[in-house]
Amino acid sequence: MEFNPVMPTSIDALHLILGALSLILLAVALVRGGSKRSEPVEAQPVQTASAEAADAPEPKPAPVLKSNDPESALQLLGLLQQEARFIDFLNEDLKGFSDAEIGAVSRVVHEGSKKLLDQYFSLAPVRTEEEESRVTLAAGFNPAENRITGNVVGEPPFTGVLVHRGWKVTKADLPKLAEGHDPRIIAPAEVEL
Amino acid sequence: MSEGSRYSVGVDLGTTNSVLSYVDLAAETDHPAEAVLEIEQLTQPGVVEARPQLPSFLYQAHEAEVSTAELSLPWGQSPPQLVGYVARHLGAKTPLRLVASAKSWLCHGGVNRRSDFLPLNAPDDVVKTSPLAASAAYLAHLKAAWNYRFPDQPLEQQDITLTVPASFDPAARDLTAEAARSVGLNRFTLLEEPQAALYSWVNRSGDSWRDQVNVGDVVLVVDIGGGTTDLSLVAVTESDGNLELNRIAVGDHILLGGDNMDLALAYRVKAKLDAEGKSLQPWQIQALTHGCRDAKEALLSDSDVQAVPLVVPSRGSKLLGSTLRTELTRDEVEQTLVDGFFPQVGIGEHPRQQPRGALTQMGLPYAQDAGVTRHLASFLCRQSNAAQDFFGSAQDFIKPTAILFNGGVLKAPKLAQRLISVVNGWLQQAGAEPARLLDGADLDLAVARGAAYYGYVRQGHGVRIRGGLASAYYVGIESSMPAVPGMPPPLQALCVAPFGMEEGTETSPSQQEFGLVVGEPVTFRFFGSTVRRDDQCGLLLDYWDEAELEELPPIQASLPSAGRQAGEVVAVRLAARVNELGTLCLEAIPRDGEQRWQVEFEVRDV
């Protein structure tokens, strides 16, 4: 009967971790987007488009997409593995283990992830209003910061219920890596002599 | 004071962490803001981060262990001796290559502090280093990190204040100064850590510090860091209508701190698991110690948490099924830490063993008694006469009227409360007013911050703490009596430096003369006393209580043979001087001639 209270907490913790990870990855992508290291892939698509459709009256502007540099994503995975045993945990087969056992391990993942999140990122909610309260979006609101859903008709200002406050990374500061460091090794094999 | 210096830099070279803080000297205010340097360092092979602390650990990496490409720092390649987080990280799993607590070794008289013997008992193929060289390595890293951040204001050109424990003996102070010089830092002074903490408090309190203490106050500074406990007393007096601070006593060097507490908790949990039939491997105990540190903080705060789970994950990639789970309860923490380290004791209950028993033992002289309150009771009783010069009337123990805390351990409200309640219990029994806690202290960074502020104070801003030597020093003289079989010749002690001798002063040469053989070093036994406050220079003691004088490592004088014939015996007198750095110098002065020869403190045979 001891296990009953454990189940919901462990599931909550799990969701929290997964949520946190997706947020972090999103945050990294966003931060990368703003930094000069990511290279917009503008030139190539334009060339191929003009080669294939040389006689087209007006070449359409090619969609501007940027490719992500995987290095910082790999670095983040490495940190999550070292601090929170993240990869180990996701690769476990949960079948056959009790929620109490999973719950114990999820503490490792939760504590480590939280420590990492606090150390390298500063997070703030996008909106400061209480969730489930009514908010009004004035004309010209930033659609990247505020996603409108449901009965999307008419013209702003829009009034609706704040479902989720959103998260915004205000600072992301991952450790610097040495030139010769291979970020693909997110955890070295350990051999005790 | 010094030209070209833009910053006053404070360096807290701690037992477990080092911190560098700085103040802009151009600021025209009495309470300048100190900043703490974010120290760029390797946190793992190939990873560089800036952190406010540099863990005082040194790791002698095996050449096959890390590739040189992974040892880049922003300013170039790291030396093969790794310091900081990376050293602590690698050393956690390979302790035989890790040098820790170099600072405690620096004040350990039983070893040659210049000889390469650390890590202690490591196999022969591990490169060894000395406590002196390890301290120099931490300073070298701090210097490199500073010079990377402030390329136009190199550290060697700034005014530096290096902090040392109040209980450091003259040799340990000298060695700290030598470590600084060996990395090219020459513009520095030494400051006692509890004083630095008090300076930091004064600066943080702004002008209101004068309202928080009054003439007649005796402030007890209790500094419990990761590895050591340091005690000092500061009296508040008045001169020309201004408040003055006088450091009147310092305690023994007690190797007892937060690390002991984490270990005690881990062993408590281990015992609990043993009882359940689960035996732990060394790496699990280490992980448990780590977990206990975090759990302790949660349980010692004022919250209502009754138990904190401790989870030790498996070492392999399979987590489920092999992870150890237990918990630490509030009761366990309170019994182990609050009652174990801060027992409710009477003022008459002192540590069962003197903190520094055998001078020759190998290994650090850890405190045998973990009761911080017993050490404190002993200190207050031993120093019962300390405030006599200031406030008259002898007492059975010194009664502090205010307390200032420092060190990470006392961040835990339960421990701080217990310590105050024990002290106030003593005061109440003696019919004295309870001591009040001076608040607003920054327990982790106060020493470095206070040291940076001290450099500013030295330029004539704000109040300065008067200190001087916290010990009187004596040279042992074997008296020339007929030998009695089976009895060592009786020993006399000549006071060569009185208590309270101030920076920049010197004593006149002793009446007593010593015969030195030219070209041959002569060794003297050397003693210090923190309680014989009235002995004047030149006083010859025939008898003393064993607890009054503490034997320090021997000192050595040698006269170079230049201008003299080898083997010639020259009569010299001894004089003491406290130099501008704040370190004691003993000099041998030949009766004829103006020359002075330095007497060396650190002379253990190699």
Side-chain angles (χ1 to χ4, degrees):
Chain A
M1 287 309 98
E2 238 173 76
F3 295 150
N4 278 344
V6 174
M7 192 173 72
T9 37
S10 63
I11 287 172
D12 276 358
L14 258 165
H15 278 97
L16 195 71
I17 295 151
L18 291 171
L21 175 79
S22 48
L23 266 169
I24 294 170
L25 289 172
L26 180 69
V28 169
L30 285 173
V31 169
R32 284 281 140 210
S35 83
K36 52 184 179 234
R37 274 177 67 188
S38 56
E39 25 178 318
V41 279
E42 234 170 324
Q44 236 188 339
V46 173
Q47 276 175 3
T48 46
S50 54
E52 278 169 20
D55 52 343
E58 239 176 49
K60 280 187 199 162
V64 180
L65 287 178
K66 50 193 181 185
S67 77
N68 275 322
D69 170 10
E71 192 159 293
S72 45
L74 291 173
Q75 188 188 0
L76 185 64
L77 275 184
L79 288 168
L80 281 164
Q81 165 63 15
Q82 283 154 23
E83 298 285 344
R85 307 290 298 271
F86 192 76
I87 308 297
D88 289 342
F89 182 65
L90 292 193
N91 280 318
E92 288 277 16
D93 184 1
L94 299 187
K95 280 198 289 289
F97 291 102
S98 72
D99 282 350
E101 282 170 292
I102 299 168
V105 173
S106 80
R107 285 192 182 277
V108 176
V109 184
H110 178 249
E111 275 167 27
S113 308
K114 174 72 177 140
K115 195 173 133 198
L116 185 150
L117 196 63
D118 290 347
Q119 182 145 16
Y120 301 110
F121 300 93
S122 299
L123 288 165
V126 174
R127 301 202 67 96
T128 50
E129 295 95 338
E130 286 292 309
E131 286 179 4
E132 298 303 318
S133 69
R134 292 190 76 74
V135 294
T136 301
L137 299 173
F141 68 90
N142 182 349
E145 289 193 350
N146 298 279
R147 168 142 313 146
I148 47 176
T149 57
N151 189 22
V152 184
V153 286
E155 294 297 317
F158 295 125
T159 297
V161 174
L162 179 63
V163 179
H164 192 291
R165 298 164 73 169
W167 287 112
K168 188 177 183 174
V169 173
T170 55
K171 197 197 83 185
D173 204 2
L174 285 173
K176 293 191 269 294
L177 298 180
E179 200 64 53
H181 184 78
D182 184 353
R184 293 174 305 157
I185 310 298
I186 55 178
E190 193 177 320
V191 184
E192 191 177 56
L193 306 183
Chain B
M1 174 181 59
S2 38
E3 291 154 42
S5 165
R6 165 78 190 275
Y7 296 100
S8 162
V9 176
V11 177
D12 172 11
L13 205 54
T15 314
T16 46
N17 282 303
S18 297
V19 179
L20 188 151
S21 173
Y22 55 99
V23 164
D24 191 340
L25 289 173
E28 285 296 322
T29 158
D30 263 3
H31 300 286
E34 319 101 341
V36 172
L37 180 71
E38 292 280 329
I39 304 160
E40 300 269 2
Q41 57 191 295
L42 287 162
T43 48
Q44 284 177 44
V47 180
V48 173
E49 289 180 66
R51 302 268 178 96
Q53 296 181 317
L54 177 77
S56 309
F57 292 87
L58 187 149
Y59 187 79
Q60 303 279 11
H62 190 282
E63 63 221 5
E65 196 176 353
V66 222
S67 75
T68 47
E70 304 241 78
L71 299 181
S72 307
L73 285 165
W75 50 85
Q77 201 71 1
S78 163
Q81 302 186 321
L82 306 175
V83 297
Y85 277 95
V86 69
R88 201 174 73 179
H89 175 79
L90 294 174
K93 287 181 175 167
T94 311
L96 66 85
R97 292 182 169 270
L98 182 71
V99 177
S101 301
K103 187 180 183 182
S104 298
W105 285 107
L106 209 55
C107 70
H108 183 12
V111 296
N112 180 353
R113 297 167 261 195
R114 290 175 211 277
S115 76
D116 297 331
F117 65 90
L118 295 173
L120 194 63
N121 303 330
D124 287 341
D125 66 335
V126 175
V127 182
K128 307 289 196 305
T129 192
S130 68
L132 178 69
S135 305
Y138 306 143
L139 283 170
H141 187 97
L142 291 174
K143 177 181 153 188
W146 171 279
N147 289 353
Y148 173 70
R149 168 84 187 277
F150 298 103
D152 298 334
Q153 301 287 338
L155 191 59
E156 44 273 50
Q157 287 173 20
Q158 312 307 313
D159 284 333
I160 303 165
T161 303
L162 267 174
T163 61
V164 290
S167 46
F168 254 23
D169 66 20
R173 287 171 199 240
D174 258 9
L175 288 164
T176 307
E178 190 178 327
R181 279 188 216 105
S182 75
V183 297
L185 303 177
N186 291 305
R187 293 169 56 159
F188 62 90
T189 38
L190 301 182
L191 176 69
E192 291 173 4
E193 284 158 13
Q195 286 192 46
L198 192 60
Y199 274 119
S200 170
W201 173 79
V202 166
N203 193 28
R204 279 175 83 94
S205 308
D207 289 323
S208 81
W209 77 270
R210 288 186 180 80
D211 305 326
Q212 295 196 51
V213 293
N214 302 306
V215 175
D217 267 333
V218 176
V219 182
L220 169 67
V221 185
V222 182
D223 179 355
I224 308 181
T228 53
T229 294
D230 214 4
L231 304 167
S232 282
L233 286 166
V234 176
V236 184
T237 56
E238 191 175 23
S239 166
D240 303 328
N242 290 319
L243 287 187
E244 279 195 340
L245 298 170
N246 304 271
R247 196 269 285 106
I248 53 173
V250 303
D252 287 326
H253 200 72
I254 308 168
L255 290 188
L256 179 63
D259 296 347
N260 305 56
M261 301 182 186
D262 300 334
L263 209 55
L265 282 178
Y267 275 88
R268 168 125 197 184
V269 174
K270 177 183 182 293
K272 190 161 77 173
L273 289 166
D274 279 346
E276 292 169 16
K278 295 177 192 159
S279 66
L280 294 187
Q281 292 183 327
W283 65 267
Q284 287 175 307
I285 296 174
Q286 203 175 36
L288 209 52
T289 312
H290 208 74
C292 283
R293 187 172 307 155
D294 297 335
K296 169 186 82 177
E297 275 158 28
L299 289 166
L300 286 174
S301 65
D302 273 331
S303 68
D304 297 329
V305 184
Q306 288 303 317
V308 172
L310 288 175
V311 179
V312 178
S314 70
R315 287 203 289 184
S317 63
K318 287 272 165 263
L319 279 174
L320 287 167
S322 46
T323 289
L324 191 78
R325 183 192 183 281
T326 180
E327 62 177 23
L328 192 63
T329 66
R330 172 171 287 246
D331 283 349
E332 286 166 340
V333 171
E334 290 195 357
Q335 273 173 21
T336 312
L337 299 191
V338 184
D339 296 335
F341 285 85
F342 299 88
Q344 294 269 16
V345 295
I347 185 73
E349 285 179 61
H350 298 168
R352 284 171 211 118
Q353 210 148 356
Q354 281 301 318
R356 209 181 290 186
L359 206 61
T360 47
Q361 70 189 358
M362 200 60 180
L364 286 173
Y366 291 109
Q368 314 244 320
D369 192 320
V372 173
T373 42
R374 276 191 284 267
H375 287 283
L376 184 56
S378 158
F379 170 63
L380 293 178
C381 289
R382 270 168 68 86
Q383 295 298 342
S384 55
N385 298 323
Q388 218 173 337
D389 300 347
F390 293 93
F391 310 125
S393 82
Q395 301 163 313
D396 47 348
F397 73 97
I398 196 148
K399 300 182 182 62
T401 54
I403 301 181
L404 180 71
F405 285 153
N406 190 45
V409 168
L410 292 164
K411 279 195 296 190
K414 295 248 167 191
L415 299 182
Q417 284 156 15
R418 167 58 74 91
L419 193 51
I420 293 179
S421 88
V422 170
V423 173
N424 282 341
W426 298 334
L427 294 172
Q428 198 184 5
Q429 273 197 340
E433 289 285 307
R436 58 194 189 283
L437 184 67
L438 300 182
D439 53 4
D442 168 3
L443 299 178
D444 276 329
L445 303 176
V447 168
R449 286 177 183 276
Y453 173 62
Y454 173 69
Y456 191 71
V457 169
R458 277 170 62 88
Q459 302 214 318
H461 308 267
V463 69
R464 189 158 170 184
I465 303 170
R466 290 159 54 91
L469 292 183
S471 282
Y473 291 101
Y474 305 83
V475 169
I477 301 172
E478 281 171 15
S479 60
S480 44
M481 270 177 55
V484 180
M487 292 276 286
L491 190 74
Q492 291 176 308
L494 173 73
C495 179
V496 288
F499 189 95
M501 212 179 138
E502 289 199 26
E503 188 180 298
T505 62
E506 57 185 303
T507 63
S508 51
S510 61
Q511 293 299 308
Q512 202 85 17
E513 289 185 341
F514 301 86
L516 289 195
V517 183
V518 173
E520 276 178 36
V522 177
T523 303
F524 299 101
R525 289 174 74 179
F526 191 51
F527 299 85
S529 172
T530 56
V531 290
R532 295 190 64 102
R533 316 174 71 88
D534 301 323
D535 287 355
Q536 289 307 305
C537 188
L539 181 79
L540 200 58
L541 297 180
D542 292 322
Y543 170 79
W544 58 89
D545 196 73
E546 210 174 295
E548 284 184 325
L549 256 59
E550 181 189 10
E551 179 149 17
L552 300 170
I555 56 175
Q556 195 172 68
S558 52
L559 295 191
S561 44
R564 288 195 172 80
Q565 288 201 323
E568 187 190 342
V569 178
V570 178
V572 298
R573 297 181 294 171
L574 291 178
R577 186 162 60 85
V578 180
N579 63 18
E580 293 299 327
L581 298 182
T583 61
L584 177 71
C585 305
L586 280 185
E587 289 164 330
I589 307 167
R591 189 167 30 177
D592 47 346
E594 291 295 303
Q595 293 148 306
R596 287 166 170 248
W597 308 110
Q598 188 81 28
V599 179
E600 302 290 336
F601 289 116
E602 172 60 16
V603 289
R604 291 252 145 199
D605 325 316
V606 184

